Amino acid sequence: MNFIYISPQFPRTYWNFCDRLKRNGVTVLGIGDTPYDQLSHETRSALDEYYYVTNMEDEDEMLRAVAFLTFKYGKIDWLESNNEYWMNQDARLREAFHITSGYMGDAARWIQHKSHMKAYYEKAGIATARWEMATTLDQAKKFVDTVHYPIIVKPDIGVGAAATYKITTEQELTDFFAHLPEIPYIMEEFISGYICSFDGITNSKKEILFYTSHVFPTPIMEIVQSQDHLVYYSEKELPQDLLQAGRRAVEAFPCERRFFHFEFFRMMEDKEGLGKAGDLIGLEVNMRPPGGYTPDMMNFANQLDVYQIWADMVCWDTSDIDTSNRPYICVFASRRDTHTYRHTHEEIMNIYRDFLMMEERMPEVLADAMGNQMYTACFATMDEVKAFVAFVQEETGGK
């Protein structure tokens, strides 16, 4: 099998996908914009060949790279980046070389439209926030008359909380439409709640080979806007309603042979016309691994190897790895350079050295949403998780 992996060097730990494929006997070919001598040793070792391009945004250059590797190694069986940013380009490259292992042509763009996700959630029998496309101010005012302030406006295609705004007054609404971006925007009613995810890997028959969940106590949108800390953690035991909703979403969405990341709001208060406190509301979906180092957190919490499960799925459409054990809660806690903290980095490292799994500076491209410095640790109980987060993020009062 010939597999082209797009951008194997970013995020930093994604070389693991290539490594597990190579262990399974796959010929792994990388394309990226980092010069070969600047790749990590792990990335170089995980690849049979690497094709350097000067600009991954240049589709002609990417087409030439795939054409060269096809000429040298023969037909390409899979092409994947596991990265939201490159998903549309992945699909166009598959279309151009008739690689049928994933979305082709415009199929990926369809699944990235937040407005189109609503239809899939509806098919799954999962409620979503009421919405309208942001076209005119008069239409927006009518929408507000139905759902009331606040409302959320965000790009119909976008990653995370980029260019997302909470609008609380008619003046803010007027100001938004006075400077309405040229890209399509969607308006949604505001939901008071926290985000929980249903994440995993499917095979060609949509059988779930692995699943887990993560809780985000504060929505990413609020973190980006306030430049506050990010905290999220895995769940040892998934609530039954989340597990059932997640399984229905897998059945409804086109998510064969890939990672999936479904996001839900857990409502914290009743809202007329939508639901009751405690209900799950479908939010968004990404057909790739959850962001940052979440795949590594899955490994730490569950004491397994999701990179290997994914590679086994690619090669054999199944995996014999035991996924029933969930011994730990894995938590991510970040810091920001603009804050002043009570406890030093050295104190964190010394006190929590037996629990820490990762610590490092976050790449600049991820820092806006995820913070500048991250600590990831595993614990047996939520009380331990809360104590760790409080210790890491306690401030002196100044910024």
Side-chain angles (χ1 to χ4, degrees):
M1 177 186 291
N2 295 324
F3 193 114
I4 290 181
Y5 201 98
I6 305 296
S7 190
Q9 78 282 5
F10 185 85
R12 181 182 63 78
T13 58
Y14 274 25
W15 63 266
N16 284 284
F17 287 117
C18 301
D19 175 77
R20 305 312 186 273
L21 288 171
K22 193 171 183 180
R23 291 188 197 180
N24 282 1
V26 176
T27 300
V28 187
L29 313 167
I31 300 175
D33 57 3
T34 299
Y36 182 79
D37 60 359
Q38 295 178 26
L39 296 176
S40 69
H41 169 73
E42 293 88 351
T43 303
R44 293 197 302 268
S45 298
L47 299 172
D48 289 283
E49 182 156 345
Y50 179 73
Y51 190 106
Y52 167 67
V53 296
T54 57
N55 180 11
M56 290 181 63
E57 303 275 3
D58 186 333
E59 197 145 325
D60 285 340
E61 195 172 4
M62 294 297 290
L63 285 166
R64 288 195 297 272
V66 177
F68 171 82
L69 294 172
T70 300
F71 174 78
K72 184 171 180 179
Y73 290 92
K75 180 169 172 33
I76 304 302
D77 301 289
W78 279 71
L79 183 148
E80 183 61 75
S81 66
N82 279 325
N83 192 312
E84 187 82 18
Y85 190 82
W86 303 116
M87 186 175 288
N88 289 318
Q89 186 181 77
D90 290 351
R92 292 191 297 271
L93 291 171
R94 292 191 198 103
E95 180 83 13
F97 292 89
H98 195 61
I99 303 168
T100 59
S101 59
Y103 301 129
M104 300 174 70
D106 293 330
R109 183 168 294 275
W110 174 266
I111 203 66
Q112 289 179 305
H113 282 267
K114 295 178 176 64
S115 54
H116 295 161
M117 295 174 192
K118 306 283 188 178
Y120 285 109
Y121 272 124
E122 182 179 355
K123 181 181 176 183
I126 299 169
T128 62
R130 289 168 287 188
W131 63 282
E132 291 277 353
M133 294 304 296
T135 53
T136 68
L137 178 59
D138 287 342
Q139 176 218 22
K141 288 180 178 178
K142 291 178 182 177
F143 178 67
V144 171
D145 287 342
T146 299
V147 303
H148 309 298
Y149 288 112
I151 65 169
I152 303 298
V153 294
K154 52 190 177 182
D156 193 29
I157 298 179
V159 180
T164 297
Y165 309 102
K166 183 179 179 182
I167 293 179
T168 60
T169 67
E170 185 168 325
Q171 184 59 55
E172 290 177 359
L173 187 67
T174 301
D175 291 343
F176 171 75
F177 274 90
H179 304 92
L180 182 65
E182 294 183 2
I183 61 173
Y185 259 71
I186 185 174
M187 304 179 295
E188 291 184 338
E189 65 181 316
F190 176 78
I191 296 175
S192 177
Y194 64 88
I195 294 173
C196 51
S197 67
F198 184 67
D199 309 314
I201 302 168
T202 62
N203 67 7
S204 65
K205 297 182 278 297
K206 288 192 183 179
E207 294 169 341
I208 300 174
L209 305 182
F210 167 76
Y211 66 84
T212 188
S213 173
H214 296 87
V215 174
F216 299 76
T218 304
I220 297 292
M221 178 195 72
E222 295 181 22
I223 291 169
V224 171
Q225 292 180 349
S226 66
Q227 288 294 281
D228 204 350
H229 305 113
L230 173 63
V231 173
Y232 70 102
Y233 55 87
S234 60
E235 292 197 277
K236 287 178 73 171
E237 295 185 17
L238 274 66
Q240 278 301 306
D241 62 343
L242 176 62
L243 181 56
Q244 292 168 6
R247 289 187 181 279
R248 295 203 307 272
V250 167
E251 284 301 312
F253 280 81
C255 56
E256 295 88 347
R257 298 194 293 180
R258 58 190 314 107
F259 266 92
F260 58 81
H261 173 64
F262 295 102
E263 293 181 352
F264 299 87
F265 269 121
R266 177 75 73 179
M267 294 180 64
M268 297 178 66
E269 58 186 44
D270 298 352
K271 184 156 190 181
E272 185 178 355
L274 186 61
K276 301 286 188 180
D279 286 353
L280 288 172
I281 304 297
L283 178 57
E284 295 180 13
V285 60
N286 300 113
M287 294 306 174
R288 41 81 174 166
Y293 301 123
T294 310
D296 304 282
M297 292 174 62
M298 294 176 179
N299 288 346
F300 302 147
N302 298 282
Q303 295 293 282
L304 45 68
D305 188 341
V306 296
Y307 300 109
Q308 188 65 58
I309 296 172
W310 175 84
D312 291 348
M313 176 275 295
V314 169
C315 294
W316 304 300
D317 208 34
T318 189
S319 177
D320 60 5
I321 293 177
D322 182 5
T323 63
S324 62
N325 189 30
R326 299 175 185 274
Y328 300 114
I329 303 167
C330 189
V331 58
F332 174 106
S334 72
R335 287 182 164 195
R336 293 192 181 275
D337 292 347
T338 52
H339 295 228
T340 305
Y341 296 95
R342 185 169 302 280
H343 303 291
T344 66
H345 170 76
E346 289 71 25
E347 287 178 293
I348 296 170
M349 298 301 296
N350 288 333
I351 292 173
Y352 285 101
R353 62 180 176 273
D354 293 334
F355 303 91
L356 283 165
M357 309 304 294
M358 295 180 71
E359 70 80 20
E360 65 179 67
R361 298 286 297 177
M362 292 300 291
E364 198 63 35
V365 69
L366 300 177
D368 197 39
M370 303 189 75
N372 303 105
Q373 172 70 35
M374 73 84 151
Y375 302 90
T376 299
C378 279
F379 301 96
T381 69
M382 273 304 300
D383 286 342
E384 292 172 297
V385 168
K386 291 175 182 177
F388 170 74
V389 171
F391 190 88
V392 168
Q393 297 181 341
E394 184 180 3
E395 298 184 55
T396 60
K399 291 189 179 181

